[in-house]
Amino acid sequence: MKQKLRNSLFILGALVPLLSWAQLAPQIMNIDARQVTSLDGQWKTIVDPFENGYYDYRLNPYDDGYAQDRTYSDRTKLQEYDFETNKTLFVPGDWNTQRPQLYYYEGTVWYRKHFTYDLQPGKRLFLNFGAVNYEAIVWLNGKRLGSHIGGFTAFNFEITNLLKEGVNSLVVKVDNKRRPEGVPTVNADWWNFGGITRPVTLVEVPSTYIRDYYVQLKKNDTNTIEGWVQLDGDSKSQKVLLDIPELKLKKEVETDADGYASFEVKAKPVLWTPEEPKLYTVSLAAQSDKVTDEIGFRTIRTEGTKILLNGKEIFCRGISIHEETAYSSGRAYSKDHARTLLGWAKELGCNFVRLAHYPHNEAMVREAERMGFLVWSEIPVYWTIHWENKDTYRNAEQQLCDMIGRDKNRCNIIIWSIANETPVSEPRQAFLASLAEKARSLDNVRLIGAAMEKSEVEPGVLTVNDPLGKLLDIISFNEYVGWYDGNAEKCDRVNWTFDVQKPVFISEWGGGALYGHHGPKNERFTEEYQEDLYIRHVNMLKRVPGLAGTTPWILKDFRSPRRQVPGIQDDFNRKGVVSDQGQKKKAFFVLKKWYEELKEAYK
Ligand code: GCU
């Protein structure tokens, strides 16, 4: 991660006020390590399907609506809204699983939180949202702070000079309507959970603080730690001490007039692996601020059809995971949610998880790092995105920058994915080529992938001949032989061939079953069908040349409005090897057995 990253992120930071997400402040690295005050809990809400609180009856937007949060006390006057006497929703969380009336709701819900804050002189205060799906417009004390588009990335506003004595009124207009020009667009195979879906925090920092930093191994060099630090504030030129006590490493740098300094130091850290996920306490101390993180060190590269972690060939024994809680099947956001899902992946014998189809919450990525899971992280450039729309590209690129910006210090992420099952066309190739180039400019220590689709070039001969492949470091693709493509027996009679020497990574395969639904193995949605499919599919995968990893679809049954067989699907995609209630299906044990064999083979 070189100077280019810093230039891109710095330019992005400077450009932000000019973007349509005006007034957004640049990302703050490692929010939870700062002095934070949580605004999580019950927020007052108004469900507003006609956006009555935002548009007048001539459809002109006006700030004098619900954003002003007026209490309807004087009943001699006309007012047609009142947060105070309205219902609440828990933040963080989706509204769909909190209130039956909102199960399918797609539209606007207004959220309101009152808070007090005593900000000391010389301190600054930021308001950070972990994520809001899909568009957020934010007001504080009736003043519009700005807006953000994208349902899975963090954003923040500086509110240092906007606080009031006493009670402050924070109002957020959340609109989860799907849009053709959106990222994702209007069609997807997951539930369109609306809401303030990740934590909301007040972040207090010194007037000049360490806003961002990067500390990782230099590309393919296990003896050199490189990185940089970025200050934000008035006194930008400061001495900053990098300190990794366990390595007896101290390195002092001096930030320049922009508040930036880079470093490169010799060190021989114990390398992070899934078996020994070693993390070091790393601190950066400026004269005015100090921040501490837990950081691992590893190298990743490909060599022919191999993926090498720390120079050693690995097989990615993976599973795909949606960001959905166990049992309640709502939007996941916490460390506990992560531990439950990753605990099942651990029982499967996984050393890898594909966090589909969008950047997951930070707790999930950090818990995966602590528990020893390599990660595939992706942006929701999914299916039929509007490739020729400039705003769509800017949205996708912003989500890519935010995903890489937030998680660039998480050594367990080894693949950034820029797309999933997107139809081949010239505009799509140009769109994705730009994204791949942007990803490489931001990060040279990770692989770039995407879920392409397979082709049957002649009966029984399967390959991937997607032009996107030449932009990627791996041949990564989804295939459903035995489910969408024939029955399970088709797995026995097909073979795969690839004309490039890159690692093959099958990012989806599988089939559906309702837990506890039993019958003949040729009957769809029985556990016996899914088990037989897994047995035959694994035997097919053993014949795939250059296979270096796979993430079967999917760990847990998940909500989707596309899945409508009553009594079997009931708005759930049933391809999980675990039911939505945590019950392990017969196929779970087929995969577990194969992963045990692979663990032995790659010792
Ligand atoms: C596709 C897609 C997934 C979807 C899956 C399925 O490959 O990438 O998002 O859920 O197929 O049909 O179950």
Side-chain angles (χ1 to χ4, degrees):
M1 185 86 68
K2 306 289 290 176
Q3 169 85 16
K4 288 180 294 186
L5 166 76
R6 178 253 169 188
N7 291 341
S8 311
L9 292 179
F10 186 75
I11 291 163
L12 192 68
L15 270 177
V16 158
L18 310 179
L19 296 175
S20 76
W21 294 277
Q23 297 105 12
L24 281 178
Q27 251 180 0
I28 300 173
M29 170 58 70
N30 196 3
I31 289 278
D32 289 345
R34 314 303 181 132
Q35 187 172 326
V36 292
T37 302
S38 172
L39 293 183
D40 294 348
Q42 296 296 343
W43 289 42
K44 288 288 186 178
T45 58
I46 298 173
V47 179
D48 186 10
F50 282 66
E51 299 183 287
N52 181 47
Y54 186 68
Y55 295 103
D56 64 20
Y57 77 123
R58 293 295 184 237
L59 211 53
N60 301 312
Y62 65 118
D63 270 355
D64 196 36
Y66 296 2
Q68 299 311 312
D69 180 19
R70 291 192 182 86
T71 302
Y72 191 28
S73 46
D74 180 355
R75 300 280 167 143
T76 64
K77 293 200 174 63
L78 175 63
Q79 179 171 315
E80 297 189 276
Y81 75 94
D82 184 30
F83 279 111
E84 205 49 45
T85 54
N86 224 310
K87 293 193 283 287
T88 62
L89 283 168
F90 190 81
V91 168
D94 62 272
W95 60 59
N96 315 74
T97 58
Q98 288 193 59
R99 219 185 276 175
Q101 304 89 331
L102 299 179
Y103 175 61
Y104 284 115
Y105 182 67
E106 295 186 300
T108 285
V109 173
W110 293 82
Y111 286 76
R112 189 224 55 196
K113 187 74 176 176
H114 282 173
F115 68 91
T116 59
Y117 200 93
D118 180 12
L119 186 62
Q120 296 306 307
K123 297 289 188 179
R124 295 166 69 184
L125 195 67
F126 290 82
L127 169 64
N128 189 79
F129 293 83
V132 175
N133 189 43
Y134 173 77
E135 177 179 19
I137 307 177
V138 183
W139 290 263
L140 182 67
N141 301 321
K143 177 178 170 18
R144 182 189 290 228
L145 300 184
S147 58
H148 179 269
I149 282 182
F152 305 98
T153 49
F155 58 99
N156 79 85
F157 302 96
E158 180 160 9
I159 58 172
T160 306
N161 302 317
L162 298 170
L163 288 170
K164 270 185 7 180
E165 284 288 314
V167 175
N168 290 276
S169 164
L170 171 60
V171 175
V172 186
K173 178 183 181 290
V174 177
D175 178 1
N176 77 330
K177 278 194 299 295
R178 290 166 291 123
R179 307 127 198 246
E181 76 286 356
V183 179
T185 181
V186 292
N187 61 340
D189 188 26
W190 67 81
W191 207 264
N192 180 27
F193 290 116
I196 302 179
T197 47
R198 293 181 191 164
V200 183
T201 37
L202 295 172
V203 187
E204 181 179 309
V205 293
S207 57
T208 296
Y209 72 106
I210 298 171
R211 183 179 66 72
D212 199 0
Y213 55 85
Y214 172 71
V215 183
Q216 285 286 280
L217 281 181
K218 190 173 179 180
K219 186 177 179 71
N220 299 332
D221 180 346
T222 55
N223 299 317
T224 306
I225 290 175
E226 68 170 0
W228 49 264
V229 59
Q230 179 65 58
L231 302 186
D232 179 308
D234 296 336
S235 54
K236 286 190 168 55
S237 297
Q238 293 192 28
K239 289 185 179 6
V240 179
L241 179 68
L242 167 71
D243 185 2
I244 311 179
E246 213 181 323
L247 293 177
K248 295 184 176 51
L249 184 159
K250 285 183 190 290
K251 169 77 176 178
E252 183 170 275
V253 292
E254 180 107 27
T255 52
D256 61 20
D258 292 331
Y260 174 82
S262 61
F263 49 80
E264 190 172 293
V265 287
K266 288 300 171 198
K268 285 193 75 59
V270 170
L271 301 179
W272 185 97
T273 65
E275 296 73 30
E276 282 186 70
K278 173 69 180 166
L279 298 178
Y280 285 88
T281 299
V282 176
S283 70
L284 286 159
Q287 285 137 273
S288 61
D289 190 21
K290 177 177 180 180
V291 60
T292 300
D293 206 337
E294 296 295 311
I295 292 180
F297 300 101
R298 56 96 188 108
T299 63
I300 194 78
R301 66 185 173 87
T302 63
E303 188 177 273
T305 61
K306 297 187 175 85
I307 296 177
L308 305 180
L309 175 69
N310 304 325
K312 183 174 180 296
E313 183 185 5
I314 59 166
F315 188 94
C316 301
R317 308 187 308 270
I319 191 77
S320 293
I321 300 179
H322 257 302
E323 189 182 52
E324 203 179 87
T325 52
Y327 311 112
S328 53
S329 297
R331 264 285 167 253
Y333 56 82
S334 74
K335 193 183 286 189
D336 286 347
H337 296 153
R339 282 181 175 155
T340 303
L341 297 169
L342 295 172
W344 292 340
K346 201 54 103 174
E347 284 183 60
L348 260 180
C350 297
N351 63 356
F352 189 101
V353 289
R354 176 188 178 198
L355 301 185
H357 280 295
Y358 35 74
H360 285 216
N361 61 85
E362 190 169 358
M364 182 65 162
V365 175
R366 283 181 177 269
E367 204 51 33
E369 189 177 48
R370 270 190 281 270
M371 291 175 68
F373 290 99
L374 294 158
V375 165
W376 159 312
S377 187
E378 68 186 50
I379 53 174
V381 175
Y382 183 98
W383 289 359
T384 55
I385 293 286
H386 282 201
W387 309 109
E388 298 179 83
N389 181 317
K390 292 279 172 276
D391 279 344
T392 303
Y393 179 78
R394 194 179 67 174
N395 183 347
E397 186 176 272
Q398 180 72 46
Q399 293 190 43
L400 178 72
C401 291
D402 289 348
M403 171 175 73
I404 294 175
R406 187 194 76 183
D407 291 341
K408 56 185 176 281
N409 293 308
R410 306 278 70 79
C411 72
N412 62 323
I413 296 178
I414 60 167
I415 296 169
W416 298 123
S417 169
I418 58 174
N420 181 76
E421 290 193 357
T422 53
V424 176
S425 72
E426 277 304 310
R428 169 262 205 179
Q429 189 70 7
F431 189 104
L432 296 181
S434 298
L435 283 182
E437 187 185 347
K438 173 56 94 175
R440 293 193 195 287
S441 74
L442 293 174
D443 183 341
N444 69 350
V445 290
R446 290 177 176 87
L447 309 177
I448 307 299
M452 299 182 280
E453 289 181 300
K454 64 111 171 88
S455 307
E456 189 154 6
V457 287
E458 58 183 88
V461 178
L462 306 179
T463 188
V464 173
N465 49 24
D466 184 328
L468 177 56
K470 60 177 179 291
L471 305 176
L472 308 180
D473 295 309
I474 52 179
I475 306 173
S476 41
F477 63 98
N478 299 344
E479 50 87 8
Y480 280 90
V481 177
W483 185 257
Y484 295 121
D485 176 8
N487 291 321
E489 55 73 35
K490 181 169 181 177
C491 299
D492 307 343
R493 55 184 169 79
V494 297
N495 284 298
W496 294 83
T497 173
F498 302 98
D499 55 12
V500 289
Q501 282 298 300
K502 288 181 185 176
V504 174
F505 193 109
I506 302 182
S507 41
E508 282 184 41
W509 58 271
L514 173 67
Y515 175 79
H517 177 55
H518 297 289
K521 64 184 177 183
N522 68 343
E523 187 180 306
R524 298 289 180 125
F525 294 112
T526 61
E527 282 203 56
E528 285 68 23
Y529 186 100
Q530 190 189 43
E531 179 188 42
D532 182 50
L533 168 61
Y534 266 64
I535 291 167
R536 294 171 188 257
H537 213 103
V538 164
N539 288 333
M540 178 190 77
L541 296 183
K542 289 177 178 174
R543 304 197 303 271
V544 173
L547 186 66
T550 187
T551 46
W553 193 259
I554 187 169
L555 177 67
K556 176 189 85 74
D557 293 352
F558 62 95
R559 294 186 191 278
S560 168
R562 311 172 76 90
R563 310 298 172 174
Q564 299 184 346
V565 177
I568 296 282
Q569 294 178 307
D570 299 318
D571 284 346
F572 274 89
N573 183 314
R574 295 288 184 197
K575 296 188 183 68
V577 292
V578 180
S579 78
D580 55 289
Q581 293 308 310
Q583 301 138 318
K584 298 179 180 71
K585 303 174 192 176
K586 293 161 86 89
F588 180 99
F589 302 96
V590 175
L591 189 60
K592 179 179 167 71
K593 178 172 174 294
W594 183 39
Y595 282 177
E596 282 162 1
E597 293 164 14
L598 281 168
K599 188 174 179 180
E600 280 308 304
Y602 282 81
K603 248 188 177 152

